[in-house]
Amino acid sequence: MTEIKIILEGEHEKEVQDKDSKLALIYKRSCSNVYFIKGEKNIIFDTGNRYVKEKLVKALEENNINPDEVDYVIQSHWHLDHCSNIHLFKNAKIVSGKRFIWFPDGGAEKYRKTEDMDIAGVKIINTEGHVQSHISALVEIDGENHIISGDAIRKDYMEEGFFKNEEAKETAIKILKIADVIYPGHGKVIQKEKIKKLLEMAQS
């Protein structure tokens, strides 16, 4: 059975610049969550920031994951807090936006549609808005849609009524409508009741 595990929880150090707004802040250090999808293939989703490299290596060891045996790294987008340890997975095919799978030998395969990218047990979905070329991963487990969303879902922003742009809002609504469980780029896993509340917020 396919399983999704949080290998490394993101870390954040921030300074609030405006005490009247939770969003007016500067991140001194920011690192995304790192996820492992165990199924037909070994898949890492996002690799975190460079300053957590040693923690990530230790976490992989503790979970009996050999970086050389990871088949794919799905890169939600290329912000440094999400992608800086990609070099650890030397034999992995890199999946990124604009419908590319990059091969370890330097080659690449391009797909007409994001949803056509061929990864066993995982459906790649286009979730632009936070940035262009942003992608997320949908994994069906026991008949439920589990979505690893990267920064397409930011619970902290959504609770403040903030969206980067209209496309980001539409993308968030798309995910919230189909997801039973969401694994965000930052923060805790989001379950059904919270998903319903976030959808109501986003649509209001």
Side-chain angles (χ1 to χ4, degrees):
M1 187 183 85
T2 304
E3 180 184 8
I4 300 173
K5 297 178 69 175
I6 301 176
I7 296 301
L8 193 69
E9 290 190 11
E11 300 179 359
H12 308 89
E13 182 181 347
K14 58 192 178 183
E15 280 187 355
V16 177
Q17 301 296 298
D18 179 356
K19 58 187 177 183
D20 294 325
S21 172
K22 292 181 182 179
L23 296 175
L25 53 82
I26 292 177
Y27 281 99
K28 289 181 175 180
R29 284 152 64 96
S30 179
C31 177
S32 71
N33 295 331
V34 178
Y35 296 100
F36 179 61
I37 306 170
K38 177 65 176 176
E40 285 186 54
K41 300 293 184 180
N42 295 321
I43 302 170
I44 293 287
F45 188 102
D46 283 347
T47 64
N49 211 333
R50 60 188 174 87
Y51 70 82
V52 300
K53 177 183 174 182
E54 291 183 5
K55 286 185 177 182
L56 177 56
V57 169
K58 183 178 180 182
L60 291 166
E61 290 176 355
E62 290 173 348
N63 284 276
N64 298 313
I65 300 168
N66 182 344
D68 291 341
E69 294 177 356
V70 169
D71 299 293
Y72 292 93
V73 172
I74 300 174
Q75 201 58 67
S76 66
H77 63 298
W78 294 101
H79 285 170
L80 294 179
D81 57 327
H82 288 257
C83 70
S84 296
N85 295 304
I86 202 167
H87 61 282
L88 295 175
F89 306 96
K90 296 179 174 59
N91 298 321
K93 298 173 184 178
I94 311 303
V95 183
S96 68
K98 293 301 183 189
R99 304 177 295 281
F100 275 106
I101 294 180
W102 305 88
F103 296 91
D105 62 5
E109 186 167 346
K110 186 172 183 179
Y111 292 82
R112 288 181 176 273
K113 296 188 298 182
T114 301
E115 289 76 7
D116 290 338
M117 297 171 82
D118 185 21
I119 304 173
V122 177
K123 181 178 180 181
I124 303 300
I125 55 177
N126 174 34
T127 50
E128 294 189 347
H130 176 69
V131 292
Q132 287 186 341
S133 304
H134 191 291
I135 57 174
S136 301
L138 188 156
V139 182
E140 187 176 319
I141 301 175
D142 294 332
E144 293 187 332
N145 289 332
H146 292 240
I147 296 181
I148 312 178
S149 68
D151 282 351
I153 296 290
R154 284 292 304 252
K155 177 174 169 288
D156 51 347
Y157 286 2
M158 293 172 68
E159 288 178 336
E160 293 297 312
F162 173 82
F163 289 95
K164 188 173 182 180
N165 51 48
E166 192 62 29
E167 188 175 25
K169 181 176 182 177
E170 290 173 1
T171 291
I173 290 172
K174 177 176 79 170
I175 292 173
L176 292 164
K177 280 184 174 180
I178 63 173
D180 295 297
V181 183
I182 296 173
Y183 305 78
H186 303 272
K188 303 293 184 183
V189 174
I190 306 170
Q191 303 286 349
K192 293 180 182 178
E193 284 305 310
K194 192 61 182 179
I195 290 172
K196 183 179 178 182
K197 289 179 181 177
L198 289 175
L199 179 59
E200 290 172 354
M201 289 179 188
Q203 291 178 321
S204 65

